[in-house]
């Protein structure tokens, strides 16, 4: 009887320790911010085929088909929310610095913004691509590219073939808050 109760106590302690060690995820961050009016969160329902030119290779078409959905989170920087901006930027940066999010490349848009492209999964079978963009004047945004077995190299080549006019047209006002970063 004593061995059973000791086993249950050890099991309970193990569960508590494991659950306390759980790090916040990008998904939980999105969910936590759903009701926060400082954030714009959009699940982008789009027809990805229309964003690209017709000259996609079969490998690029396969990569395009591996994308299931896109989620955008954006925090617009305002003068009266500078402290909140810094706190939220720290939180999202901490999440994205976890080992499960592997860096693919960093980029900078002149003096206006900087960002990084990260991924979760294996290098040849990415489950989630993440584009993080930060601008002290505009705020920060995170775009989650969710799919299965995505090839990051092919996804990057697709990005070069995207038609910016079609993107603006399809995204419409959803991404209008980020207008001006790349001008």
């Amino acid at each position: 009887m004593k061995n059973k109760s000791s086993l249950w106590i050890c099991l309970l302690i193990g569960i508590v320790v494991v659950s306390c060690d759980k790090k916040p995820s990008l998904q939980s961050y999105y969910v936590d911010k759903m009701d926060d009016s400082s954030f714009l969160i959009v699940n982008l329902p789009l027809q990805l085929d229309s964003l690209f030119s017709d000259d996609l290779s079969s490998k690029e078409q396969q990569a395009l088909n591996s994308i299931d959905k896109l989620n955008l989170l954006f925090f617009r920087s305002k003068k009266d929310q500078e402290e909140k901006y810094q706190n939220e930027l720290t939180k999202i940066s901490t999440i994205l610095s976890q080992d499960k999010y592997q860096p693919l490349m960093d980029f900078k848009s002149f003096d206006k913004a900087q960002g990084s492209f990260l991924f979760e999964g294996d290098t040849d079978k990415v489950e989630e691509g993440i584009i993080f963009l930060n601008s002290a004047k505009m705020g920060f945004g995170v775009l989650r590219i969710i799919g299965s077995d995505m090839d990051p190299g092919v996804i990057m080549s697709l990005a070069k073939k995207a038609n910016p006019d079609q993107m603006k047209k399809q995204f419409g006002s959803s991404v209008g808050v980020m207008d001006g970063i790349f001008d």
Side-chain angles (χ1 to χ4, degrees):
M1 184 72 168
K2 186 176 181 182
N3 285 342
K4 281 188 176 182
S5 62
S6 295
L7 179 66
W8 282 108
I9 290 172
C10 287
L11 184 62
L12 181 63
I13 290 171
I15 291 171
V16 169
V17 168
V18 169
S19 65
C20 290
D21 190 37
K22 188 173 181 171
K23 296 178 181 173
S25 69
L26 196 51
Q27 175 66 29
S28 65
Y29 186 80
Y30 270 64
V31 171
D32 289 345
K33 302 306 173 192
M34 288 295 281
D35 295 325
D36 188 332
S37 62
S38 301
F39 287 86
L40 168 70
I41 299 177
V42 181
N43 293 316
L44 299 169
L46 29 124
Q47 298 155 337
L48 293 175
D49 291 343
S50 66
L51 297 179
F52 301 93
S53 59
D54 294 334
D55 62 338
L56 296 180
S57 70
S58 62
K59 199 171 190 174
E60 290 169 333
Q61 189 62 48
Q62 184 180 3
L64 192 59
N65 293 336
S66 71
I67 299 172
D68 295 331
K69 63 181 175 178
L70 302 176
N71 300 122
L72 172 69
L73 173 139
F74 186 74
F75 181 92
R76 186 169 206 148
S77 183
K78 296 180 182 175
K79 289 185 184 203
D80 62 338
Q81 292 186 325
E82 289 175 11
E83 186 175 335
K84 183 174 183 174
Y85 167 74
Q86 287 301 323
N87 289 337
E88 296 300 332
L89 184 60
T90 300
K91 287 179 190 177
I92 198 73
S93 296
T94 300
I95 291 170
L96 295 177
S97 69
Q98 294 177 32
D99 290 339
K100 68 180 180 178
Y101 301 115
Q102 302 173 57
L104 188 59
M105 69 177 243
D106 292 324
F107 54 89
K108 188 174 179 183
S109 171
F110 305 103
D111 291 332
K112 295 183 180 186
Q114 61 187 19
S116 50
F117 187 26
L118 307 122
F119 69 94
E120 183 178 4
D122 297 324
T123 54
D124 59 340
K125 293 185 178 182
V126 172
E127 301 302 318
E128 180 176 2
I130 301 155
I131 299 173
F132 173 66
L133 184 66
N134 178 34
S135 167
K137 291 182 182 178
M138 300 292 291
F140 68 85
V142 180
L143 177 66
R144 296 176 65 210
I145 306 164
I146 302 167
S148 57
D149 299 338
M150 297 181 290
D151 181 334
V154 179
I155 299 281
M156 293 299 289
S157 73
L158 273 175
K160 294 175 185 173
K161 292 186 174 184
N163 181 334
D165 294 331
Q166 280 292 72
M167 289 177 76
K168 239 181 186 177
K169 181 179 176 184
Q170 202 169 101
F171 293 150
S173 62
S174 298
V175 295
V177 294
M178 297 182 81
D179 221 11
I181 289 178
F182 297 107
D183 292 342

